[in-house]
Amino acid sequence: MAPPNLIRAAAIQIAPDLRSAAGTTTRVCEAVAEAAGRGAQLAVFPETFVPYYPYFSFVLPPVAQGPEHLRLYEQAVTVPGPVVQAVSEAARRHGVVVVLGINERDHGSLYNTQLIIDADGSLRLKRRKITPTYHERMVWGQGDASGLKVVETRVGRVGALACWEHYNPLARYALMTQHEQIHCAQFPGSLVGQIFADQMGVTIRHHALESGCFVVNATGWLDDEQVRSITPDPALQKALRGGCHTAIVSPEGRYLAEPLTEGEGMVVADLDLSLVTKRKRMMDSVGHYARPELLRLAIDDRPALPVVPLHDLAPTERTSHDAVDPSFAAAGPIGPRADDAAAVSRPALD
């Protein structure tokens, strides 16, 4: 067990069960128990780990993806549901905060979803990746800003983003403004090759420095048999190797343990939260180093819903929108205008 002033974290790199959500869930619960046995109070798993990342979408043409996409629907996780219940029970039993990536099914759509489960087993956050990347757009729907939240847990203030959301600086800044102490990053792993792993290392270290927080990053792993099961083409199999960089980084941008780039295992390190203050004393990007009178972020953090009750609309929006404001017709779904939302979420300049 880590001393009281430290948090011991485990970034977990393991292979999913490509056949079933139940099999992968069992592996998650076993890994939580192993991490707890090594004194970990926080366990972070890879992106959409349950039931598995949709590797098929990276190597199959769209016309051939139907059967595998439907199989993913059949195995996808509902929230709440038995998978969440099992992992929550493991978190509670072992007193570990768990950050888990899942393929979430919400009726007719799938989403890349991140769960933060506290050490008492309570679900503290469910958020959806705001923009699926490249091939992923064939698989998942888009999330919204309602999930760009940092939550209080037994190990401190925790935030999370998935994969290339880390290349959206405004999404990262949204979490910075909420003073995250531990940022949990999730990538698929076993994808693209060494260049992906190299880019990942730069990305997570930069966020640690800019946010002044710890970053715990987990990537998945596929063994050779699993790669061959996804595609028999040796040329395409090359695209399903490499790209693993499971690591833990301090607010000063230092690796706290050797990154894991191949095989299954976990990276375990102690996080001294006093380093957050040490870093921010020099550079607090949302405090003394910010210039909000020049640059600031406006966030519409309401859930994006396909139906908005009429009584929730502003009075002017109950009439002809074009007559009130010709530009409104191009503004998107019915709801308060973006400039109205921004005015609510920020102080007036004057």
Side-chain angles (χ1 to χ4, degrees), residues 219-257:
T219 57
W221 169 258
L222 296 177
D223 61 32
D224 286 342
E225 182 180 347
Q226 289 178 312
V227 170
R228 288 191 294 269
S229 75
I230 295 168
T231 175
D233 186 337
L236 293 177
Q237 288 173 4
K238 294 179 181 178
L240 300 178
R241 291 192 169 94
C244 296
H245 194 85
T246 294
I248 300 177
V249 182
S250 81
E252 298 174 313
R254 294 190 305 108
Y255 287 114
L256 297 181

Side-chain angles (χ1 to χ4, degrees), residues 126-277:
K126 184 195 83 169
R127 66 167 305 270
R128 294 170 175 173
K129 187 175 184 180
I130 54 178
T131 303
T133 302
Y134 190 47
H135 58 286
E136 297 171 351
R137 294 172 194 169
M138 295 290 296
V139 178
W140 298 316
Q142 293 183 316
D144 56 43
S146 67
L148 288 175
K149 297 287 190 291
V150 171
V151 294
E152 290 281 0
T153 71
R154 191 176 294 180
V155 297
R157 296 185 59 78
V158 176
L161 291 174
C163 201
W164 276 17
E165 286 187 309
H166 292 88
Y167 292 152
N168 187 324
L170 300 185
R172 292 193 303 105
Y173 197 74
L175 299 185
M176 293 181 206
T177 64
Q178 299 170 66
H179 314 293
E180 61 178 351
Q181 296 171 298
I182 303 172
H183 178 81
C184 299
Q186 298 174 313
F187 287 76
S190 289
L191 200 68
V192 181
Q194 185 59 41
I195 189 172
F196 195 26
D198 293 342
Q199 292 170 349
M200 207 182 301
V202 172
T203 300
I204 62 175
R205 293 179 72 189
H206 177 76
H207 183 71
L209 286 166
E210 193 171 66
S211 182
C213 71
F214 290 90
V215 176
V216 181
N217 183 58
T219 57
W221 169 258
L222 296 177
D223 61 32
D224 286 342
E225 182 180 347
Q226 289 178 312
V227 170
R228 288 191 294 269
S229 75
I230 295 168
T231 175
D233 186 337
L236 293 177
Q237 288 173 4
K238 294 179 181 178
L240 300 178
R241 291 192 169 94
C244 296
H245 194 85
T246 294
I248 300 177
V249 182
S250 81
E252 298 174 313
R254 294 190 305 108
Y255 287 114
L256 297 181
E258 185 70 21
L260 183 60
T261 58
E262 289 188 11
E264 294 186 295
M266 61 180 68
V267 176
V268 179
D270 290 335
L271 317 183
D272 181 354
L273 296 184
S274 69
L275 291 179
V276 173
T277 303

Side-chain angles (χ1 to χ4, degrees), residues 9-14 31-32 35 40-47 49 96-101 114-115 158-161 182-187 215-219 246-248 265-267:
I12 298 169
Q13 182 168 294
I14 54 176
V32 170
Q41 301 150 281
L42 169 68
V44 180
F45 290 86
E47 181 180 13
F49 188 65
V96 175
V97 177
V98 176
V99 180
L100 178 66
Q114 294 175 295
L115 306 178
V158 176
L161 291 174
I182 303 172
H183 178 81
C184 299
Q186 298 174 313
F187 287 76
V215 176
V216 181
N217 183 58
T219 57
T246 294
I248 300 177
M266 61 180 68
V267 176

